[in-house]
Amino acid sequence: MTKPATRIVELEDDELEEFVEIFAERKSKDYVEIERIGGANDKGRDVIGFLSRSRHEGDWDLYQCKRKTRGSKLRVGEAMTELGKVFHHHDAGAYATLPRRYVFVSPRGMDGSLTTLLLNPSLIGKALLETWDKNCRTRITGRNPVELTPGIRALIEAYDFSAVECLTAPKLAKDPAALPALVQVLGLPPGEAPEGEMPDEVSDTELTYIAQLRDVYAGSAGSDFATLDDVFAHPRFGEHLRIQRQRYYQACAFRDFHRDNTAARSVDVFKSDIYHLLIDVYNEVHPSPLARIDAVMKHTGAAPAGILGTMARPPVKQGTCHHLVSDGKIRWSP
């Protein structure tokens, strides 16, 4: 399979903007809103991450996508033009504040001169001022020349250009925050979900399926269990319950991983698949409710099911059965 970085390089303009939109949403949980603008009248903005509901009157990050043709890299002249747009449109009142971070997204990278410039942020403003007539005056708008006014000069001189950076295809491909975009835009498999960790204490989210298991255990034992501790202390049912809790949390980890990294409906489709895998066995006549649970677990654990070609491990599929109980789709107790 082609490497992810190579696939990112091959993205078309709109695909790259979509990729960056998804990436930005995952990259920073500080954003209250992500807006994708792009297009001919974007005023130097492709994707914006707003850090408050004040939007352009508060802090915001700007992602400027620069898809280059084969063999071409982002150069100083084009970078200066894009930076010049931001100061011009801010001075003209299009946005009340300047971006907190300015991120060039150039999958094919930068040429050596621009790399040197971005590694020395104190030189960026000077270069922008010195080359304004060449790179900005007639390139910012298609109508009238944009002169380097005292107001724009003051904005450039006051700006902290350490906020300017560049993301290349290799950097994006290595960033964990890019995984949802790699899956949703490029169609790459999401990989293995992490192992679930079972806490010692039973959480509120477990109460529905555990309460039903407790009823089933009581029916099998021929006497009620006053507390969950009594169940855990039982020589047979205590271990059975611990295994079910492990499976439940394996399913939680799988659900959360794919919910964050795949298309929105993938987890719902997976859960529906598990339901249809188990329901025939579930509806069969069994010697007891506990025998039904064990039969469902055995069958579901062995049946193939997964998301986007990634097969779920047996405890994930078995734990999803408990999620279905919590959702009210099936019941363990009569």
Side-chain angles (χ1 to χ4, degrees):
M1 181 178 291
T2 305
K3 292 182 179 179
T6 303
R7 295 284 303 278
I8 294 172
V9 166
E10 296 170 348
L11 291 173
E12 298 294 335
D13 288 330
D14 58 340
E15 292 174 324
L16 180 58
E17 290 177 7
E18 180 185 5
F19 188 100
V20 172
E21 180 183 14
I22 296 171
F23 166 79
E25 185 173 4
R26 177 68 178 273
K27 183 64 176 177
S28 178
K29 297 189 182 300
D30 294 333
Y31 296 144
V32 300
E33 183 180 351
I34 305 289
E35 184 166 351
R36 176 180 164 195
I37 299 179
N41 193 32
D42 60 14
K43 293 181 170 59
R45 303 159 299 171
D46 284 335
V47 177
I48 304 166
F50 292 112
L51 283 90
S52 74
R53 293 298 176 190
S54 297
R55 297 180 176 80
H56 274 318
E57 294 178 346
D59 286 339
W60 57 288
D61 294 343
L62 188 156
Y63 296 85
Q64 184 62 35
C65 301
K66 304 305 297 181
R67 176 182 176 270
K68 309 302 294 178
T69 57
R70 186 174 299 278
S72 178
K73 297 182 178 181
L74 182 62
R75 301 179 184 277
V76 171
E78 188 172 2
M80 293 300 103
T81 301
E82 294 300 332
L83 287 172
K85 289 179 183 179
V86 172
F87 291 101
H88 161 67
H89 289 297
H90 169 61
D91 185 63
Y95 25 90
T97 58
L98 287 167
R100 182 191 68 161
R101 293 173 61 233
Y102 187 107
V103 184
F104 287 111
V105 182
S106 178
R108 294 187 183 274
M110 305 174 285
D111 71 359
S113 297
L114 183 56
T115 299
T116 298
L117 197 59
L118 264 60
L119 289 175
N120 295 275
S122 64
L123 302 180
I124 299 175
K126 181 180 179 182
L128 181 57
L129 291 171
E130 291 177 349
T131 64
W132 186 273
D133 287 346
K134 175 184 177 182
N135 295 320
C136 301
R137 185 175 180 273
T138 59
R139 296 184 180 180
I140 289 178
T141 72
R143 298 184 297 276
N144 301 315
V146 176
E147 305 295 345
L148 179 58
T149 63
I152 293 176
R153 176 181 290 275
L155 290 171
I156 294 172
E157 290 176 342
Y159 192 68
D160 180 3
F161 283 93
S162 64
V164 180
E165 59 185 285
C166 183
L167 289 175
T168 63
K171 285 184 179 179
L172 282 168
K174 293 176 183 177
D175 195 318
L179 182 55
L182 291 172
V183 174
Q184 296 177 47
V185 179
L186 298 182
L188 297 179
E192 290 290 338
E195 292 279 331
E197 295 185 9
M198 182 187 72
D200 293 334
E201 298 295 325
V202 172
S203 72
D204 290 344
T205 63
E206 298 180 78
L207 294 181
T208 299
Y209 85 90
I210 284 183
Q212 293 187 31
L213 287 175
R214 181 175 165 184
D215 289 342
V216 169
Y217 298 148
S220 295
S223 62
D224 291 338
F225 291 100
T227 67
L228 272 180
D229 287 338
D230 293 335
V231 179
F232 284 119
H234 191 278
R236 177 187 175 192
F237 302 127
E239 182 60 19
H240 192 278
L241 179 55
R242 277 186 283 272
I243 291 172
Q244 305 318 309
R245 292 192 67 226
Q246 290 169 359
R247 290 168 173 171
Y248 175 84
Y249 280 101
Q250 292 291 338
C252 286
F254 183 87
R255 175 200 63 197
D256 294 347
F257 174 80
H258 286 282
R259 183 184 57 200
D260 292 343
N261 294 299
T262 64
R265 290 192 65 251
S266 295
V267 172
D268 292 336
V269 170
F270 172 75
K271 188 181 287 188
S272 176
D273 288 346
I274 296 298
Y275 174 82
H276 287 286
L277 283 175
L278 69 82
I279 195 61
D280 290 338
V281 173
Y282 175 87
N283 285 330
E284 291 175 355
V285 176
H286 299 278
S288 68
L290 184 58
R292 180 174 64 177
I293 292 170
D294 290 341
V296 166
M297 290 294 158
K298 182 178 180 179
H299 175 77
T300 308
I307 293 179
L308 299 178
T310 300
M311 290 295 103
R313 294 175 297 104
V316 169
K317 293 177 287 185
Q318 293 163 327
T320 302
C321 299
H322 297 309
H323 287 240
L324 290 169
V325 172
S326 296
D327 293 344
K329 300 294 184 182
I330 59 173
R331 289 186 57 83
W332 291 144
S333 57

